[in-house]
Amino acid sequence: MSAQFGKAQLFFHSEQNDGEAWLIAERGRILRRWVSEYPELALGEPFGVERRLLDAYGITGKPEDLAPDSDLAGDWAATWGDCRATTVAEENSVDPTKAAADTGSISGMLVAAAPPFE
């Protein structure tokens, strides 16, 4: 989609602590993919709010590079460093949980909801 439209973003946020995920792509290239439940699937470099929060936790690299059993990884994973998909979405485009129904079109944004798994 980003190759055709310039930018494409995907965000997953769970209110039940099932994890956080985002994918941000521009011009056909993935800039960052993060899946909190599967850090080994991460791609790209953290940037924006993710990078600032990692710095605040003293994590100079990427969260996916931390030893899973380290105290630092445990501290980050306990709250995902307060780096929720909705926060990343708000910084990169719009937080759909804050968009009002009467706002109208937000610069061509397309939001899709998937049914829950059964």
Side-chain angles (χ1 to χ4, degrees):
M1 287 182 67
S2 72
Q4 183 173 352
F5 298 107
K7 292 182 181 182
Q9 301 173 3
L10 168 109
F11 301 97
F12 169 80
H13 168 70
S14 170
E15 292 290 329
Q16 289 80 33
N17 293 323
D18 290 331
E20 304 290 325
W22 52 87
L23 184 138
I24 300 170
E26 290 186 8
R27 297 177 304 282
R29 190 173 71 89
I30 295 173
L31 300 179
R32 181 68 171 151
R33 177 176 68 194
W34 171 252
V35 182
S36 62
E37 298 298 304
Y38 301 97
E40 67 275 8
L41 297 177
L43 291 173
E45 293 292 326
F47 65 93
V49 65
E50 183 185 12
R51 179 74 266 154
R52 290 190 303 277
L53 288 168
L54 288 164
D55 290 345
Y57 271 74
I59 301 171
T60 58
K62 303 178 204 178
E64 60 266 29
D65 294 338
L66 295 172
D69 56 350
S70 72
D71 289 341
L72 197 50
D75 290 347
W76 175 259
T79 63
W80 304 120
D82 296 322
C83 195
R84 293 175 175 74
T86 51
T87 307
V88 176
E90 184 171 34
E91 181 175 270
N92 287 281
S93 57
V94 62
D95 177 351
T97 66
K98 293 181 181 178
D102 62 353
T103 304
S105 176
I106 303 174
S107 184
M109 178 179 81
L110 173 64
V111 176
F117 290 109
E118 293 186 26

